[in-house]
Amino acid sequence: MVPWRMPVFAILATLSVGLAGAPPAAGATPAPAAPVGLRVPALAYDAASITLVWEKPREHADVVDYHVYRDGRLAGSVRAGSGSPAEPYLDAFAADPANASQVRVLPATFTATGLRPRHRYTFTVRSVDVVGRESRDSAPVTRWTSAVSRVFNVRDFGAVGDGSTPDTAAIQAAIDACSPGGTVLVPAGTFLTGALWLKSEMTLAVAAGATLLGSPEAADYPYGFRLYDYSTDQRFFSLINAHTYDYGTLHDIRVVGAGTIDGNGWRQGPPDADGFPVALPSSSSTVDTNGILARSQTALARQFGSASPYGTRSNLITLRGVRNVYLGGFTAVNPAQHDLVLLHSDNVTVAGVRMLTQGVNNGDGIDFAHGSGLTVIDNVFDTGDDGMNFAAGLGAAAAADPPTRDAWIAGNYFRHGHGAVVTGSHTGAWIEDIVAEDNVVDGTDVALRMKTDPNNGGGARRVRFRDTAVKAVTRQAIILTSAYSDPGAAIVVEPSPVKARFTDVTVTHITVDGTGGDSINVLGVAGAAHGNLRLSDVRFLHARPASIRYLSGASFHDVVYMTTPDPWSISDSTGLVFSGTTTVSATTADAGQGPRWPDARLAVSGVDDVSATLSWTPATDNAGVATYSIMDGDTTVATVPGTGYEYRLTGLSPGLRYRLHAVAADATGNRVRGPTVVLRTSGTVATVPPVVPTGPDAVRVTAGSVGTTWMRLAWQPATGTHGVSRYLVEANGRPAGGVPGDTLTFTATGLRPGTRYTFTVVAVDASGNRATYPARPVAVTAPPYDRAVPSWPPGGRLTATAVGPTDVSLRWTPARDDRALVGYRLYLDGVPVPGGAPFTPVNTASTTAGTSYRLTGLRPHTTYLVTVSAGDSAGKWTRSALPLRVRTS
């Protein structure tokens, strides 16, 4: 790390371990506070090393280093260096005089090396201040190193490693043979391989000088991967996979080493000025010229009839349903799509990985969805899309899944990429409890990127972004937007009944030098404003102004713009507070105080059958009232400039009672409700219903809109003497919902899968007169999703009905499934008993379709372990197999 200059007396004090934590002399500055939460992340240890992480103390402004003690002796310090791939870039950034005013990041991580196998170590950590004083010890953590792992070298199983001979079968054979706790070693060489399948309690080690090179042939990757159970598209599986739908039954998987995992996705251009690889321009329009595996998979998906063949490209590594994961040390480069995708996986550590996907379309570094407990430390992100991205499903269907939660991102270097730390756009089940701190973001498009479509539902909450240096972002430093859409997205879902939003977001102690777009961009939607945004101790240099719309409840404390004279554009926002040394302007003064209505009166005059004149006393505001709105309930019926106090309201209906109120708003969006008035129009209540179109296409189901639980309707407008107030929609004779009279479309939701529906549209005027459209379209919803995994009923058993010297007859309890079982897989001492096609974790190959089987060719007087699992038509298999130990006669 960059040398931390201290006077000699301070260095001596640092080395005086026995004096650490001693109470300060009277009047002396107290020693720094001790770190908290010391822990070893998931699987972050082996036979020779243990990685530690901790939380900085609450008061840490004076902390400049951490000392780590092993069994009571000084083992090292953070400033002395860790050897992580991020370290040289963090050091160079800090050493650059142009960054002298930037936040100095201090990662709270340390790897103890040179340890003994199967040995118990106890660690503590102390904070160190600028003059070398140490804090008291943190609470200790104790960890055993693992035993030396048994090695399964892929060359011993026939792998060649010449870069052209397919080595898939040999590498998979080594994985299948690996005993619990063992290591599958990929030694120096280039090993060409298709999809590989990892299992529990194993390490895949890609040694220095070794490259796992993805096959360029799409046929070497199974097709049928679905991101979510309710995905409407299928994709290719990844180069490296660990996959189960019995979430948590796969466990304790490590992928490590100083080698390279290369997805072979795209042709490469020259490296950039710093030596980072760069793919040639990659997109759906260039895939046929610049794609390698991407081209092959897109072409094969077209043959399969995919509606979005370009979106079927595989990832580099995908893990689904794994408990306890460690990914560390390797270089991940050039995937056809994303690098590391982690689904429904808990307790995951990603440490010291170089994720190099610059130029790769959709080339995210890490995607984490529906899991809990993610630690991301000491990595380098140089990506073609987002660096660290969180997802949580889409639309109404996501509500059945768990949230994505509990992540810590620290000590990383983010280079190119659309966003450094990103939540969304898949937000349906909520993303929550995310902390990103002590990172350097140098040249990404956005530093903190929070994006969604309102129909995705959910959102993100309790997100903390702090102690971070941000430089030269090409777009925004911070963005919270509901205006994100992905034109290439292939998944179509039922819209969420509750709009997505971001809330409880804290940004503290960051510096931003240079933005290509808005320094801060907040864009919610009416009825779903983003809220509880708190910024403090944020400094902007060479930054463009902030743009804020639809933000409810926010504080800006010590938010300083050094070179931006008028940095705020604010509208449709309420409850904003600007304090401390925050750069203020006329806009912030207006936003910080809403209108008042000290003498609130609303009068009505000139009432006739269809109109009335409203007049009101003026409201006051520190910067002036911008508009007055006349409201009928929640509906705005008129908007008047703030200088007007009278309005002739038309379009009413005869003989009806209206209860109206006025609202005053300032230019930034603060609103105050004012007086109410009740009026009744003259004349006789209308009795003539609206006139509806009679053609066969007057109401129709929109082409391509039919889903599993939803479909979209459109209709031609009805006409009426006094207009149409609303449209009501019925599905199979039951109310499905309604829309205002100026809307001619409706999405019916909450339908039953695989069900025939007849739709009826009714036009209603303000007097309640109704007219039913004669056209009644009929459509059938799509079949239900296969969301369940086959399971065994309580008491399910595998039994031997006959035992001979060389054969055993078996019978077992039938499994259950929500759709249809396709068969059963038998394993003899862990080896598959084939029934035709080889087994993979995702295909439907089975040993038998029945619930009995006769094993033959056995050895006499031998004990065998037999297990059986069940699978369904979606390729989902029980991992909790029925076991039986049987001894031949």
Side-chain angles (χ1 to χ4, degrees):
M1 301 287 283
V2 173
W4 196 261
R5 293 182 175 87
M6 296 183 185
V8 173
F9 73 83
I11 297 174
L12 294 175
T14 299
L15 298 177
S16 299
V17 176
L19 297 179
T29 303
V36 296
L38 180 63
R39 64 186 177 92
V40 178
L43 299 184
Y45 59 92
D46 55 24
S49 68
I50 296 173
T51 294
L52 307 164
V53 300
W54 55 89
E55 299 175 29
K56 63 187 67 177
R58 180 180 296 273
E59 300 297 330
H60 58 271
D62 58 339
V63 176
V64 299
D65 200 358
Y66 297 103
H67 288 171
V68 179
Y69 289 84
R70 184 182 71 217
D71 296 332
R73 296 185 177 183
L74 183 65
S77 75
V78 169
R79 287 291 178 190
S82 64
S84 81
E87 184 177 88
Y89 301 101
L90 301 180
D91 288 351
F93 186 90
D96 187 345
N99 299 326
S101 62
Q102 287 274 15
V103 165
R104 288 296 187 260
V105 304
L106 180 61
T109 67
F110 182 85
T111 299
T113 58
L115 308 181
R116 290 185 290 166
R118 292 184 60 83
H119 192 79
R120 180 178 181 270
Y121 293 93
T122 298
F123 296 91
T124 58
V125 179
R126 298 174 184 172
S127 304
V128 183
D129 68 13
V130 71
V131 297
R133 286 173 300 193
E134 292 184 322
S135 71
R136 298 183 184 277
D137 280 331
S138 68
V141 65
T142 298
R143 175 76 249 176
W144 286 80
T145 50
S146 60
V148 175
S149 179
R150 180 183 174 188
V151 175
F152 297 78
N153 191 314
V154 298
R155 289 191 184 275
D156 295 338
F157 292 81
V160 177
D162 61 3
S164 59
T165 303
D167 286 323
T168 311
I171 298 172
Q172 189 63 55
I175 294 170
D176 294 342
C178 182
S179 55
T183 296
V184 173
L185 175 65
V186 180
T190 300
F191 296 82
L192 186 70
T193 179
L196 300 171
W197 305 94
L198 307 183
K199 62 184 184 180
S200 294
E201 298 182 76
M202 68 160 290
T203 295
L204 176 66
V206 184
T211 297
L212 269 181
L213 179 64
S215 166
E217 302 299 329
D220 291 333
Y221 303 82
Y223 186 72
F225 171 81
R226 295 180 185 270
L227 182 60
Y228 307 118
D229 284 333
Y230 48 86
S231 295
T232 52
D233 67 323
Q234 296 185 69
R235 310 178 187 184
F236 289 92
F237 281 86
S238 299
L239 177 63
I240 297 174
N241 306 267
H243 193 97
T244 180
Y245 284 97
D246 274 357
Y247 300 141
T249 55
L250 270 175
H251 60 93
D252 297 283
I253 293 176
R254 291 165 48 93
V255 181
V256 301
T260 298
I261 304 174
D262 185 337
N264 205 12
W266 297 87
R267 293 173 58 201
Q268 297 291 293
D272 68 13
D274 296 321
F276 284 80
V278 182
L280 291 177
S282 62
S283 67
S284 58
S285 61
T286 64
V287 67
D288 290 333
T289 55
N290 292 343
I292 304 177
L293 176 60
R295 178 184 64 237
S296 178
Q297 291 181 330
T298 300
L300 185 56
R302 287 194 195 106
Q303 297 179 30
F304 292 158
S306 169
S308 180
Y310 180 69
T312 65
R313 295 161 292 137
S314 63
N315 306 317
L316 191 70
I317 299 176
T318 300
L319 309 182
R320 186 194 298 270
V322 186
R323 173 174 46 86
N324 301 334
V325 175
Y326 183 86
L327 307 173
F330 57 88
T331 296
V333 65
N334 195 20
Q337 194 159 198
H338 303 315
D339 249 349
L340 314 179
V341 177
L342 308 161
L343 309 171
H344 290 275
S345 295
D346 297 337
N347 305 329
V348 177
T349 305
V350 183
V353 177
R354 289 161 45 91
M355 285 159 274
L356 311 182
T357 67
Q358 187 185 159
V360 173
N361 186 219
N362 305 125
D364 289 5
I366 302 173
D367 277 26
F368 188 65
H370 299 305
S372 176
L374 173 68
T375 300
V376 179
I377 53 174
D378 303 332
N379 303 286
V380 174
F381 293 84
D382 189 58
T383 59
D385 206 313
D386 293 326
M388 176 66 250
N389 182 65
F390 295 92
L394 294 167
D401 286 321
T404 302
R405 62 181 305 273
D406 190 16
W408 185 60
I409 306 107
N412 303 284
Y413 182 72
F414 292 91
R415 199 168 178 265
H416 292 98
H418 290 338
V421 177
V422 183
T423 62
S425 62
H426 296 190
T427 55
W430 284 96
I431 299 161
E432 58 192 26
D433 300 315
I434 310 299
V435 176
E437 60 187 352
D438 289 297
N439 300 294
V440 168
V441 179
D442 187 7
T444 62
D445 292 347
V446 183
L448 175 60
R449 188 184 191 201
M450 304 179 74
K451 55 190 171 79
T452 191
D453 180 296
N455 292 323
N456 289 346
R461 56 195 172 198
R462 299 190 298 277
V463 176
R464 309 289 180 263
F465 188 81
R466 61 194 184 194
D467 300 317
T468 295
V470 178
K471 185 169 184 178
V473 288
T474 62
R475 295 183 183 176
Q476 303 88 0
I478 302 163
I479 185 170
L480 289 72
T481 180
S482 299
Y484 182 83
S485 63
D486 181 359
I491 302 174
V492 181
V493 297
E494 176 184 330
S496 171
V498 180
K499 293 179 181 178
R501 63 191 298 260
F502 301 123
T503 182
D504 195 6
V505 179
T506 301
V507 179
T508 306
H509 193 217
I510 75 166
T511 46
V512 179
D513 185 356
T515 66
D518 304 328
S519 53
I520 305 168
N521 182 282
V522 178
L523 180 58
V525 295
H530 304 307
N532 296 329
L533 172 64
R534 296 180 292 275
L535 271 70
S536 65
D537 190 14
V538 178
R539 188 185 312 115
F540 290 101
L541 179 67
H542 307 126
R544 294 190 178 183
S547 176
I548 296 173
R549 188 178 184 195
Y550 291 115
L551 177 62
S552 176
S555 62
F556 301 88
H557 181 74
D558 293 342
V559 178
V560 178
Y561 285 83
M562 307 296 290
T563 57
T564 311
D566 187 13
W568 302 99
S569 173
I570 302 171
S571 62
D572 297 304
S573 299
T574 61
L576 310 190
V577 177
F578 303 85
S579 62
T581 59
T582 295
T583 303
V584 294
S585 65
T587 301
T588 60
D590 192 18
Q593 181 176 323
R596 298 180 181 180
W597 218 317
D599 181 23
R601 287 176 290 161
L602 178 61
V604 61
S605 61
V607 179
D608 59 24
D609 288 9
V610 294
S611 61
T613 296
L614 301 175
S615 59
W616 53 89
T617 54
T620 62
D621 184 74
N622 64 323
V625 174
T627 60
Y628 293 99
S629 298
I630 305 302
M631 310 291 296
D632 183 1
D634 293 329
T635 302
T636 302
V637 296
T639 300
V640 181
T643 54
Y645 312 115
E646 184 176 282
Y647 185 78
R648 183 67 179 176
L649 185 61
T650 61
L652 305 178
S653 293
L656 297 183
R657 180 179 181 272
Y658 293 88
R659 183 179 179 87
L660 308 172
H661 68 272
V663 173
D666 65 19
T668 59
N670 291 305
R671 295 163 61 88
V672 60
R673 178 168 174 152
T676 299
V677 70
V678 176
L679 68 88
R680 181 180 293 275
T681 53
S682 59
T684 304
V685 176
T687 59
V688 178
V691 177
V692 298
T694 58
D697 292 331
V699 184
R700 64 190 184 280
V701 175
T702 305
S705 75
V706 177
T708 304
T709 57
W710 76 96
M711 62 183 72
R712 188 174 179 84
L713 303 175
W715 55 85
Q716 299 170 7
T719 58
T721 304
H722 301 290
V724 175
S725 174
R726 63 191 186 280
Y727 292 97
L728 302 178
V729 179
E730 297 177 352
N732 288 349
R734 296 184 176 182
V739 293
D742 59 356
T743 302
L744 301 176
T745 60
F746 177 79
T747 300
T749 59
L751 307 179
R752 294 176 60 86
T755 302
R756 175 188 174 96
Y757 283 92
T758 299
F759 291 95
T760 304
V761 175
V762 180
V764 185
D765 66 16
S767 301
N769 300 301
R770 301 161 61 98
T772 302
Y773 282 69
R776 299 189 178 189
V778 176
V780 179
T781 51
Y785 308 124
D786 190 339
R787 299 198 70 153
V789 183
S791 60
W792 302 106
R797 295 181 60 200
L798 169 64
T799 59
T801 58
V803 179
T806 60
D807 63 290
V808 175
S809 295
L810 303 166
R811 183 176 298 279
W812 54 88
T813 306
R816 303 178 297 191
D817 188 63
D818 63 328
R819 300 289 295 280
L821 292 168
V822 296
Y824 298 88
R825 291 178 170 178
L826 271 75
Y827 297 84
L828 189 65
D829 287 339
V831 178
V833 178
F839 298 172
T840 76
V842 296
N843 70 6
T844 57
S846 65
T847 307
T848 178
T851 56
S852 62
Y853 193 81
R854 181 168 171 263
L855 294 171
T856 59
L858 308 180
R859 297 187 302 273
H861 305 294
T862 303
T863 299
Y864 292 94
L865 174 63
V866 184
T867 53
V868 60
S869 61
D872 65 14
S873 56
K876 297 180 178 181
W877 292 88
T878 59
R879 301 288 298 193
S880 51
L882 297 180
L884 175 69
R885 288 198 177 275
V886 61
R887 183 174 177 82
T888 52
S889 62

